[in-house]
Amino acid sequence: MVHIRSTHVDNPSVEQGDWLASLQSETKTEALTAHAKRLQQLCKNDPQLLLKGQEMVEILVSLNLDTDSLVAALYTPAADAGLVSDEQASQWGGPDLPILLQAVRQMQTISSLQHFRHGTPDSGQIDNVRRMLLSMVADVRAVLIKLAERICFLREVKDADEESRVLAAKECQDIYAPLANRLGIGQLKWELEDLSFRYLHPITYKDIAKKLHERRVDRENYIDTFVSNLQQALQAQDIHAEVYGRPKHIYSIWRKMQKKHLHFDQLFDIRAVRIVTRSLKDCYGALGVVHTRWRHIGSEFDDYVATPKANGYQSIHTVVVGPEDKHVEIQIRSSDMHEDAELGVAAHWLYKEGAVSGRGQGFEEKIAWLRKLLAWHDDMAENDDLVAEIRSQVFEDRVYVFTPKGEVIDMPAGSTPLDFAYYIHSQIGHRCVGAKVDGRIVPFTYHLQNGDRIEILTQKSAQPRRDWLNPQLGYLQTARARAKVQTYFKKLDRDKNIATGKDLLEHELQKYSLTLQHAEKALSKFNVQHLDDLLAGIGAGDVRLHQVVNQLKPDTDTTAERLERLTQRRPQKARKPSSDVTVEGIGNLLMQFAKCCQPLPGEDIMGFVTLGRGVSVHRRDCEQLQHLLQQHPERAIDVSWSRRKQTGQYRADVRISALDRHGLLHDITSVLANEKASVVQLDSFSDEESQLATVSLGVMLQDSDDLQRIMSRLGQLSGVQQVRRSGTH
């Protein structure tokens, strides 16, 4: 069933057009007549543009739209043809007219999508396009005007070639008909569906139309008699209700035949009646009248009043065997239920469109807001707060952009080209060196806008940068993209950790004449399968070096290497009972740790005999020690860590270089707290020009394994570029 066109196609006379008679408003008639006369002069070379505008006005009048919307609909075909500029529109119709016309043109983006020209788009893409169309226009009246324009377009292509008809029908069936359904505009939805179905399945359409036409007169007479008898029966029971026949559209008939695997003759609702009562009580009263008067089919009875559908839809559905043993479907609902079903939150687009389960309630609530806009014609102009509230609920949180191939991508509002690149593929993001929006180069910090067409520029040798993770720089806004960059650097750090762990373990194993191959015996002890995993754990500080060595070293201390080392030393050894360091060959000697390098248990150390301050213990790689030994090599003395368990705390100073960001100090101190490291000093410096921060820490630790683990975990923090011991390079 389609809308009946009343515009004078063959005689485009402004004064005599029946389209004006449908306005039923003297103010609207005067305004549109004046605009139509102006358009008649503009479109004298192409009068069909004016006719299409008049036809769109006819369609929208039934929605009770305001005068501005009807004027915009009248001008839309001429504006699309380039006959009306924004300046002229503003001069003739006020400041709102060019805005509405621009919004309608903006929705034309859908026609350029390749997915709807070639092949079949997936349901996710179709849903993205629908939401994109809703989000890209600030005034939803533009959506209604566009729907009317698509209906006119479908009517126009009736005599076009088959390819044009099919393309137009696919676009309207997949996008615009469901959009009209979500907005609750049944009369537009039905015509879009029926016309699309007519072009996509012409044989089936004609077959159903023929069967309906053959029975139309009889069916209408039957329904009229049935409605009259039912109305009298309700009045006899003092039930006030409106009873009317409900037309069934060809597309909905076909859908039900497909869904229930029925033939046309098996459908129960070819003859349909609706009862709209004043109250809920009258609904069940009317049901009693119906079931008392006619026998009902139990399998076709549904009480959605007592048990509403998940989307809130309420109505009583029953099928009775009427006169002449013909089935009649009857829907019973109160006026409030009817209003909710037509305009409110009881919109049943979810099950009619076969939407997947699990969709968030947020979008349903936004659609409910949009449906209420059908009653805006009296309130919208005077209620700016309502407009602002609706816009904030519908358009605030998503942005819809195009790939170069025309695919629609749904992104969070505020997303950047880098977010888009990582959404497409991790490698696209890693190799990204630039981005174009609609053919022009944009910075990585550009915020994507609805309808942008994004092209990502890549190079094979390109790599991510750590400053992409700095939230203050604004390169990445989505958690998904940020996680992919962090994963990249974590994998990159793994290679470094393997190299570090290998050096540390090889150095320790040399003391016991062992090689890395011996370490494979300990893999199961540390719950790893490969040697690289063990080395990475050591380098990152997740696996303690001394624990691995203890698993591998000999059980006794009588190896040839140890005996040879002992025989070469003087037999006399003095050890300070209170010290964790042994000074070879000298007893009762004052000993202290050098502040320049702050040695920790587990590190190679050497002593230097000072004048008056005993032995100063340094790390062997200490630059200050090397400088002292160049001047006084004879003062060198061998020292070693005591073999007894270390119980003391030793200070280590650490310097961190990182991108200055919010929460950096919190993350650093969280690592230290998790490692149970005591902080005795913390200083920080920020360079505003370079956006770099330097943090100096003084921490108390038990041994070098603790230090290596803490430094590794500090190095894995977001934005950290370097972690090193103070006094080293």
Side-chain angles (χ1 to χ4, degrees), residues 131 134-143 182-183 343 362-377 379-398:
R131 286 184 284 169
L134 286 176
S135 67
M136 72 192 315
V137 289
D139 193 333
V140 188
R141 291 177 297 178
V143 181
R182 293 187 180 195
L183 292 172
L343 302 177
F363 189 63
E364 295 180 47
E365 294 172 359
K366 295 174 182 181
I367 294 300
W369 273 100
L370 286 175
R371 294 177 71 95
K372 294 177 183 179
L373 293 184
L374 295 179
W376 64 13
H377 56 282
D379 304 327
M380 187 61 70
E382 301 176 1
N383 194 344
D384 292 337
D385 292 338
L386 176 63
V387 177
E389 182 180 358
I390 291 172
R391 286 179 181 173
S392 68
Q393 292 211 25
V394 178
F395 307 127
E396 64 182 359
D397 57 353
R398 308 301 294 177

Side-chain angles (χ1 to χ4, degrees), residues 14 36 48 230 329 350 493 516 628:
V14 175
Q48 290 298 323
L230 178 56
E329 181 195 52
L350 273 179
D493 292 339
L516 280 179
L628 293 172

Side-chain angles (χ1 to χ4, degrees), residues 389-436:
E389 182 180 358
I390 291 172
R391 286 179 181 173
S392 68
Q393 292 211 25
V394 178
F395 307 127
E396 64 182 359
D397 57 353
R398 308 301 294 177
V399 62
Y400 302 89
V401 296
F402 296 112
T403 66
K405 294 183 178 180
E407 182 180 0
V408 178
I409 303 297
D410 175 7
M411 302 284 293
S415 296
T416 67
L418 272 178
D419 290 310
F420 176 85
Y422 277 105
Y423 184 93
I424 300 301
H425 197 280
S426 298
Q427 290 302 318
I428 300 295
H430 292 342
R431 297 174 180 177
C432 178
V433 295
K436 288 183 178 181

